[in-house]
Amino acid sequence: MPEGHSVHRLAKQFTSVFSGQRLAVSSPQGRFAAGAEQLDGATLLSALAHGKQMFLRFDNDRVLRVHLGLYGAWSFGGDATFRGASSIGAPRRVGESEAPSESGPPVYAGPPAPVGAVRVRLVSDHGWADLRGPTACEVITTAEEKLARAKLGPDPLQPRSDGSAFVAKIMASITPVGIQLMNQAVIAGIGNIYRAEVLFLQGINPRRPGKLLREDEARAIWSETVRLMKDGVREGRIITTTPEARNGRPKRSAPNYVYKRTGEPCRRCGTAILSDDMAARTVYWCPSCQAD
Ligand SMILES: [Zn+2]
């Protein structure tokens, strides 16, 4: 499942290729036909990511709310001007035809015929985006967007995000921090990789009850998460290790400290990494660096 950093990259992509543009919206698969009808011909005002959800706001008081879940994905394509701020689903120049003569660039011939179960297709004069397999895809009003976002905890990647709200919430509950970090009402956007890596970097055992965190520890979890997720937006993938911890190896061969490293030696102390189920996903930790 994409963690918050990739949803933020997607929102940037939508903003840079579609905002201010009138969009043709359809549901080639048919399952979203009624929703698409409400958006067809409207102009996209902005795209906002909050945690793992994206809100595409249109000029007719309608908002497309999308949660990709485990299997959802966007794909993009378009002409030479259709370039995103991020590289997510970087336009593959699909849909271009050969130029009729040898002079001049290729001509954009519009989107190709949809392939597979395309729930939503957005088309501008310059490009298109196809959504497949989302967990949630619905048209709501701006008032409903407010309600949906009020249920979510603060998002570490949003500009004036409220870390104090996170600190108060996580410290108020006896629930283990490893479970609370996966609760989108406590903090929005963290997934399984960030949960494991942030707790390792802060030396906190995932089983520690929230009530047993000191305030400075809770604040440090927040600021570490902000730092790592901003790196994720910039890099386009989750890299938490330092060059020293990678010991000369490339980022891709040693991207994380504990995530998916059960039984392997801790990069700091050599102790074998442990794992267990927590909040329906496997959590990983070093029993020595994260003793309690
Ligand atoms: Zn260790």
Side-chain angles (χ1 to χ4, degrees):
M1 179 176 314
E3 302 202 22
H5 71 295
S6 44
V7 183
H8 277 262
R9 285 169 63 90
L10 271 172
K12 278 188 184 181
Q13 167 104 343
F14 274 94
T15 299
S16 64
V17 298
F18 281 146
S19 70
Q21 309 216 28
R22 194 169 169 274
L23 300 180
V25 182
S26 60
S27 178
Q29 168 205 49
R31 270 184 67 182
F32 188 64
E37 206 168 287
Q38 295 186 61
L39 303 176
D40 190 31
T43 296
L44 184 73
L45 297 178
S46 62
L48 174 109
H50 190 143
K52 297 175 182 178
Q53 303 189 39
M54 184 168 68
F55 300 89
L56 298 178
R57 286 100 161 236
F58 290 84
D59 66 347
N60 59 352
D61 188 45
R62 291 293 179 273
V63 178
L64 177 61
R65 182 182 79 90
V66 174
H67 190 313
L68 291 176
L70 277 176
Y71 306 107
W74 286 98
S75 56
F76 298 88
D79 67 17
T81 70
F82 193 78
R83 284 277 181 276
S86 76
S87 61
I88 272 212
R92 287 169 294 153
R93 305 278 218 118
V94 185
E96 282 179 357
S97 65
E98 290 302 313
S101 72
E102 282 165 12
S103 61
V107 175
Y108 173 58
V115 176
V118 177
R119 186 80 56 91
V120 187
R121 167 170 275 190
L122 307 172
V123 182
S124 72
D125 289 342
H126 297 283
W128 48 270
D130 283 351
L131 172 64
R132 294 179 179 80
T135 288
C137 172
E138 60 169 354
V139 176
I140 58 178
T141 63
T142 50
E144 288 165 338
E145 180 199 320
K146 233 176 216 172
L147 289 176
R149 293 185 55 205
K151 290 181 194 155
L152 297 170
D155 177 335
L157 288 173
Q158 281 177 354
R160 291 163 301 280
S161 203
D162 189 0
S164 312
F166 163 77
V167 169
K169 266 188 182 166
I170 198 166
M171 289 180 65
S173 169
I174 195 159
T175 303
V177 296
I179 292 179
Q180 292 204 62
L181 289 183
M182 296 292 271
N183 180 350
Q184 300 298 303
V186 173
I187 184 167
I190 287 198
N192 209 24
I193 308 177
Y194 284 126
R195 160 175 76 168
E197 297 296 304
V198 165
L199 290 177
F200 172 82
L201 287 164
Q202 290 303 316
I204 293 168
N205 190 288
R207 292 192 176 122
R208 173 122 55 109
K211 270 185 188 292
L212 295 186
L213 285 174
R214 294 191 315 267
E215 188 173 335
D216 62 300
E217 289 175 318
R219 290 201 172 281
I221 290 175
W222 173 263
S223 49
E224 190 80 271
T225 305
V226 170
R227 183 183 72 81
L228 288 183
M229 290 185 77
K230 280 185 175 167
D231 282 356
V233 172
R234 202 168 46 241
E235 295 256 354
R237 56 194 171 146
I238 303 177
I239 308 285
T240 59
T241 48
T242 59
E244 297 74 46
R246 290 193 291 272
N247 209 2
R249 275 167 299 168
K251 285 178 182 175
R252 80 169 57 118
S253 70
N256 308 131
Y257 287 99
V258 292
Y259 177 72
K260 284 203 170 163
R261 297 194 65 240
T262 311
E264 292 178 50
C266 174
R267 299 194 197 282
R268 283 192 177 157
C269 74
T271 307
I273 301 301
L274 297 181
S275 59
D276 199 1
D277 275 359
M278 187 177 253
R281 308 283 299 278
T282 306
V283 69
Y284 307 84
W285 73 99
C286 168
S288 163
C289 296
Q290 298 165 267
D292 56 25

